[in-house]
Amino acid sequence: MKTETIFVDKNVNSKKTYAHAVDILNAGQVVAFPTETVYGLGAVATDDTAVKRIFEAKGRPSDNPLIVHIGTIEELKNYIEEIPQAAEKCMEAFWPGPLTIVMKAKSGVLAPSVTAGLSTVGIRMPDHPVALELLHTLQKPLAAPSANRSGKPSPTKAEHVAEDLEGIIPCILDGGTTGIGLESTVLDVTLHPPVILRPGGVTKEMLERVIGTVLEPTHEEQRVEATPKAPGMKYTHYAPDAPVFLIEETADIAAAVESLQRQGHKVALLAPKSYEEVSVDYFFTFGEEHNQEQMGANLYDALRNCDKTDATIILATATSKEGMGSAIMNRLEKAAGEKWYKF
Ligand code: TXA
Ligand code: MG
């Protein structure tokens, strides 16, 4: 299959572009598009054959449900049995935005593959002009996981989507680099108190200001069988080919690099810009020091870049788990298998 990439932000004839993408979707095919978090791989959420194509293209296990994207709050009632008050409050505060709300699904409306047999569904309204224009033109809900092959980091650029899915999907809408760079927060409001199944751009603190107590299980707690989890969490998450070790930003990083090189390692360093002077084999920046927004936005690109080198070990600087740091450290700890560099 030939993959067509269309630049949407610079497109002079954008109405035609969206109509073209909608035609592909209505024909039961998939289209990759940017959101404010990461690129999504969309299919019409009520068309089971189309949704199955997402699983095929990604190589995604069929028991891992997809997030449904909508363009207006009004249409939510078509898919949800009863909208809990906590959900109403969250939608008002955070939609459009990086918050997926898990609620009880109306039966028989969405394609069975979307919910992977669960009685609940995760829904969000993305805050990106391209995603919203696509949804408004389509006037149907879009099931869309991140547009990467399973086991790869989520794509934050159209080039990342092409790296993974060129020749496998018909169309990529290229809207440039996504803003947040990490997947949305997944909040289950069918539980009392509500539980964060995956940390993201909308933090626990932000949620608690709107709906009161919210639980956010730690890694250790998530290992316990009884802890509520997103089905996707049981699958191995992306780790670069070379082992990743976390290191404190305040540690003597130059000394760590030197010691590893003396042992014969080729070292890739993922760190704030201020470390670019460290003499290391490969350097990929997280952005300005103490800037978690930039760190989140650059993390997946930096991890992908490591796999394009012959580094034998990767050092990545950690950040505090406050605010956005919770989502960043969640992804970094997974990539590192929770290993820390020891002097
Ligand atoms: O930011 C995002 O959320 C991106 C963009 C494209 O919107 N999408 C995304 O989708 O990250 P995906 O499929 O890569 O991650 C969806 C996560 C998975 O961990 C899945 O298990 C969980 O959400 N999930 C989906 N439906 C669920 C449900 N009904 N109950 C619990 N977890 C659910
Ligand atoms: Mg994903």
Side-chain angles (χ1 to χ4, degrees):
M1 179 183 293
K2 198 175 154 14
T3 303
E4 166 190 31
T5 297
I6 311 174
F7 295 96
V8 270
D9 52 349
K10 297 175 197 77
N11 204 288
V12 282
N13 199 350
S14 58
K15 270 220 160 16
K16 225 174 170 176
T17 302
Y18 287 104
H20 177 58
V22 161
D23 283 345
I24 296 173
L25 290 166
N26 278 329
Q29 264 296 350
V30 296
V31 171
F33 62 95
T35 80
E36 81 281 28
T37 58
V38 300
Y39 273 76
L41 182 63
V44 173
T46 48
D47 178 345
D48 204 54
T49 314
V51 172
K52 285 204 171 96
R53 290 214 162 97
I54 295 178
F55 286 90
E56 244 168 69
K58 281 181 62 90
R60 183 181 177 106
S62 61
D63 64 348
N64 191 4
L66 308 180
I67 291 172
V68 172
H69 297 66
I70 56 175
T72 61
I73 292 189
E74 293 71 55
E75 70 194 274
L76 187 67
K77 60 180 185 308
N78 303 340
Y79 319 117
I80 298 303
E81 203 58 67
E82 194 192 305
I83 304 168
Q85 218 193 358
E88 298 265 14
K89 287 185 179 166
C90 286
M91 288 186 285
E92 194 177 317
F94 304 113
W95 278 11
L99 177 69
T100 296
I101 308 177
V102 173
M103 293 170 272
K104 266 220 156 327
K106 237 181 208 173
S107 69
V109 184
L110 295 165
S113 315
V114 170
T115 54
L118 297 178
S119 58
T120 55
V121 61
I123 301 198
R124 84 179 191 100
M125 176 149 82
D127 188 14
H128 191 288
V130 175
L132 287 173
E133 188 60 34
L134 183 65
L135 286 163
H136 293 157
T137 314
L138 178 67
Q139 297 196 323
K140 290 175 190 170
L142 272 179
S146 47
N148 51 284
R149 286 282 298 174
S150 264
K152 285 283 184 183
S154 295
T156 55
K157 299 174 175 179
E159 297 89 88
H160 295 162
V161 180
E163 272 168 29
D164 285 9
L165 300 173
E166 178 96 67
I168 298 175
I169 62 172
C171 182
I172 302 171
L173 296 179
D174 182 350
T177 304
T178 59
I180 296 172
L182 300 175
E183 307 85 344
S184 63
T185 304
V186 178
L187 180 72
D188 189 337
V189 297
T190 68
L191 303 165
H192 305 283
V195 178
I196 294 176
L197 302 180
R198 178 177 74 183
V202 174
T203 64
K204 179 173 192 267
E205 296 79 1
M206 289 161 75
L207 289 166
E208 288 193 326
R209 255 177 261 137
V210 176
I211 53 169
T213 306
V214 165
L215 303 180
E216 183 174 3
T218 61
H219 272 302
E220 289 71 43
E221 287 162 357
Q222 285 210 339
R223 278 194 205 106
V224 178
E225 195 67 37
T227 306
K229 293 178 267 286
M233 293 306 176
K234 68 174 176 287
Y235 294 105
T236 31
H237 272 258
Y238 177 72
D241 295 334
V244 180
F245 288 85
L246 290 164
I247 188 164
E248 293 293 356
E249 227 184 275
T250 50
D252 189 344
I253 293 177
V257 170
E258 216 185 293
S259 157
L260 288 168
Q261 286 175 330
R262 248 185 284 119
Q263 295 164 43
H265 276 295
K266 279 207 170 166
V267 186
L269 175 63
L270 274 50
K273 264 195 195 125
S274 50
Y275 290 93
E276 68 193 344
E277 302 297 315
V278 172
S279 143
V280 65
D281 299 281
Y282 302 98
F283 178 77
F284 300 110
T285 186
F286 283 151
E288 302 294 336
E289 215 166 345
H290 309 304
N291 186 328
Q292 290 189 326
E293 261 155 54
Q294 290 188 11
M295 190 172 180
N298 290 321
L299 179 63
Y300 285 145
D301 187 46
L303 286 172
R304 269 183 189 259
N305 279 332
C306 287
D307 273 342
K308 293 173 191 149
T309 72
D310 60 351
T312 57
I313 199 162
I314 299 162
L315 288 180
T317 56
T319 185
S320 96
K321 287 186 181 175
E322 304 269 301
M324 260 301 273
S326 168
I328 295 170
M329 287 305 290
N330 172 273
R331 311 311 193 268
L332 254 183
E333 281 175 346
K334 278 183 181 146
E338 289 166 70
K339 298 187 299 297
W340 284 78
Y341 178 81
K342 289 204 182 64
F343 283 90

